[in-house]
Amino acid sequence: MTRAPTQELAGWGRYPRRAGPVSAIRSEDDLRAVVGAGRVVARGNGRAYGDAAMGVALTADMRRMNRMLGFDPDTGQLVAEAGVLLGDVIAAFLPRGWFPQVTPGTKFVTLGGAIAADVHGKNHHRDGSFGACVDWVEVMDAEGTVTRASRKDAPDLFAWTVGGMGLTGVIVRAAIRLRPVESGWIVQRTVPAANLCAAMAAFDAEHAATYSVAWIDCLASGAALGRSLLMLGEHAAAGEVPPAFRDRPFETPARGRRRVPFDAPAAALNRFSVGAFNALYWAKGRRGAGRSVVDWDGFFYPLDAVLEWNRIYGRRGFLQFQCVLPPDGAEAGLRALLEATSRAGQGSFLAVLKRFGAQESRFSFPQDGFTLALDFPANAAVLALLDRLDAIVLDHGGRFYLAKDARMAASTLHRADPRAAAVRRMRAEGGLSEAFASAQSERLML
């Protein structure tokens, strides 16, 4: 085996950074040549925020295994290699009337990464997480054997792999199901909520909406604590497409791409700049409340329009905090999280609230409740704040999203999520601990 070159790796948050060997995988044989070396983890397009896709001994870069292998137009089932980007799936199949059943907030994620993290979207309350649309996965073990696992065949491997953060082996291929759509447009409704209580009530009142997500002003306080803009969406029927596109309903206006040209100064994001942004965004959202018809790219992937937007946090990077709190006590927990954030004055210009539905799974993140995501620049004060937010989540029975984690203590994870002990036991009993490991799995003692 040729020695893999050393590269400095980081997740999307650019924190932490770690140098290590990275092997570009182009085939099963390439992969077979590296998995036996031990303590390997697969990496997709680097969209996990922290260190989940940074290998301990070696990182297997799967982006070159990116072929779509088959499609069944009767069922919407797509068979593809793990390195295919969700955006490439959309580019290939939306013009034929198909769209992903579940999508995270970026289309620049690989299918393998989406399955390993069991990502969720704005429709979890209705359709579940990404795993719900996965029919089977093919996983390579440390001996180089590839096993097809589904809910019927090798069900334990399937259940541990979906949401297993790449710790059961390397996902090589998968079969996923797409949803039929009549157009590339979304009928959007924006509902302002004056505070957290109103926002949570609005989620419950709009439970029937296919897609729902709220931008939340994390710096608002007092009576305005938690003021939000709830955005609801439905795939537009052919007759709802804007007149200029009605004869070509899957076409949408070309979306300009901008790129953040340099690392922003660390001081650019502070209580005052984020507070000003939030005030303007809230005011604009209230003025634009109501119904509109928007294109799919802007609705699902607003941040993808700005390439390398993670550079706005500066060279030190940023940390995203995402938790889910069960319905009982969620309001008190969210209130405590927002009050702690507001008091700390650590600006999070991206703050998102969603409503999850129920989900039973071996190690996936979602559960019934409200999920809150906050971005912060990486600095000592934020790290201290995040420890306080962790404690609030523990007090309210919540859990944490490992695809976003970059710094949590192992004790915090194991207190929040008893399933972590089962993961550790499963890996030890199956001999997986020494075969597949990431910087995150080492840090969190998985």
Side-chain angles (χ1 to χ4, degrees), residues 4 23 52 56 71 77 115 129 135 143 152 207 289 306 351 356 381 393:
S23 184
V56 174
F71 181 71
Q77 186 192 65
I115 295 168
S129 57
D135 287 338
E143 284 70 46
K152 179 180 178 183
H207 190 76
V306 184
F356 280 165
V393 173

Side-chain angles (χ1 to χ4, degrees), residues 173-377:
R173 281 174 289 274
I176 67 169
R177 275 169 285 111
L178 307 179
R179 74 167 70 229
V181 294
E182 291 187 29
S183 78
W185 296 84
I186 301 293
V187 178
Q188 175 178 298
R189 279 191 300 128
T190 301
V191 180
N195 52 43
L196 177 62
C197 184
M200 296 176 73
F203 269 106
D204 287 338
E206 301 290 352
H207 190 76
T210 300
Y211 301 106
S212 61
V213 61
W215 167 85
I216 187 166
D217 183 350
C218 66
L219 289 181
S221 58
L225 181 82
R227 66 180 179 182
S228 306
L229 298 169
L230 174 61
M231 285 157 274
L232 310 164
E234 305 290 341
H235 290 280
E240 296 174 300
V241 170
F245 290 87
R246 205 153 286 172
D247 60 343
R248 42 201 167 99
F250 297 108
E251 188 176 324
T252 55
R255 194 177 181 205
R257 292 279 185 268
R258 298 178 181 177
R259 183 182 299 273
V260 176
F262 55 84
D263 295 322
L269 286 179
N270 53 52
R271 183 184 189 95
F272 303 104
S273 61
V274 174
F277 170 85
N278 285 3
L280 290 171
Y281 195 81
W282 165 251
K284 181 181 178 184
R286 291 185 68 188
R287 287 197 304 271
R291 183 184 185 278
S292 59
V293 180
V294 300
D295 66 87
W296 62 273
D297 209 2
F299 181 79
F300 290 104
Y301 314 110
L303 289 175
D304 283 351
V306 184
L307 302 177
E308 299 185 65
W309 63 261
N310 52 351
R311 299 183 73 179
I312 65 174
Y313 288 94
R315 290 187 59 81
R316 289 188 295 187
F318 74 102
L319 296 138
Q320 185 166 101
F321 174 89
Q322 185 166 358
C323 67
V324 58
L325 300 176
D328 289 344
E331 182 179 349
L334 291 170
R335 186 176 295 280
L337 292 169
L338 292 171
E339 286 174 345
T341 301
S342 183
R343 277 198 305 271
Q346 295 294 333
S348 172
F349 93 97
L350 183 66
V352 174
L353 183 67
K354 294 194 196 93
R355 181 69 164 93
F356 280 165
Q359 178 169 327
E360 293 293 331
S361 50
R362 293 284 174 89
F363 197 46
S364 298
F365 166 62
Q367 66 176 18
D368 187 20
F370 285 88
T371 180
L372 176 67
L374 303 168
D375 283 356
F376 299 101

Side-chain angles (χ1 to χ4, degrees), residues 370-438:
F370 285 88
T371 180
L372 176 67
L374 303 168
D375 283 356
F376 299 101
N379 59 50
V382 161
L383 290 170
L385 169 64
L386 294 177
D387 288 342
R388 295 198 291 277
L389 301 187
D390 287 351
I392 293 170
V393 173
L394 290 173
D395 287 344
H396 291 83
R399 66 167 64 141
F400 304 93
Y401 191 16
L402 297 191
K404 304 290 181 66
D405 165 61
R407 33 59 59 185
M408 182 169 41
S411 58
T412 301
L413 172 68
H414 286 259
R415 282 182 60 196
D417 195 343
R419 302 175 307 167
V423 173
R424 182 177 172 86
R425 186 165 56 250
M426 175 274 295
R427 279 167 46 76
E429 292 173 354
L432 297 173
S433 304
E434 294 302 314
F436 302 102
S438 64

